[in-house]
């Protein structure tokens, strides 16, 4: 019984690490994957002016980075503070911050910009 379990575990590990098996699964990329931005709920267009006013009122510090601010950019691990988006602007799992003078929504785990709030 123990030998069967070990044999099955070894077989599963061998199949799971095979590039051929990875390519056979849909949505799996071998190597470096392209930038994928989640399309979760963001701030509605009609709420954006009020949200921009809110950010100005909060006087959150602006951070500077050498990169351009575009959707898909990953922000640095250290030196940037992220803030919760108030519920009145819609339910979202994203956080906001101000970088290079732009208010951005960020996916907190990956630190990727998902939207530049204009």
């Amino acid at each position: 019984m123990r030998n069967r379990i070990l044999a099955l575990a070894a077989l599963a590990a061998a199949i799971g690490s095979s590039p051929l098996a990875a390519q056979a699964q849909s949505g799996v990329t071998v190597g470096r994957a392209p930038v994928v931005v989640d399309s979760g709920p963001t701030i509605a267009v009609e709420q954006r002016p009020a949200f921009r006013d809110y950010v100005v009122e909060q006087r959150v510090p602006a951070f500077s980075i050498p990169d351009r601010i575009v959707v898909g950019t990953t922000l640095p691990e250290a030196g940037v503070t992220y803030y919760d988006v108030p519920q009145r602007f819609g339910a979202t799992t994203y956080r906001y911050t101000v970088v290079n003078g732009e208010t951005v929504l960020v996916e907190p785990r990956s630190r990727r910009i998902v939207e530049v709030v204009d």
Side-chain angles (χ1 to χ4, degrees), residues 13-25:
I15 291 172
S17 64
S18 165
L20 185 58
Q23 289 175 347
Q25 297 174 359

Side-chain angles (χ1 to χ4, degrees), residues 30-95:
V30 177
R32 187 168 186 171
V35 174
V36 176
V37 178
D38 294 333
S39 59
T42 61
I43 298 170
V45 173
E46 61 274 1
Q47 288 281 342
R48 290 181 187 176
F51 180 69
R52 282 192 303 273
D53 291 344
Y54 169 81
V55 172
V56 170
E57 290 169 4
Q58 296 304 303
R59 298 182 184 184
V60 298
F63 299 94
S64 295
I65 62 171
D67 299 329
R68 287 183 357 156
I69 302 303
V70 294
V71 171
T73 299
T74 300
L75 297 177
E77 276 188 65
V80 179
T81 304
Y82 304 98
Y83 305 92
D84 290 333
V85 174
Q87 187 70 28
R88 71 177 184 246
F89 297 111
T92 181
T93 58
Y94 301 131
R95 305 289 184 266

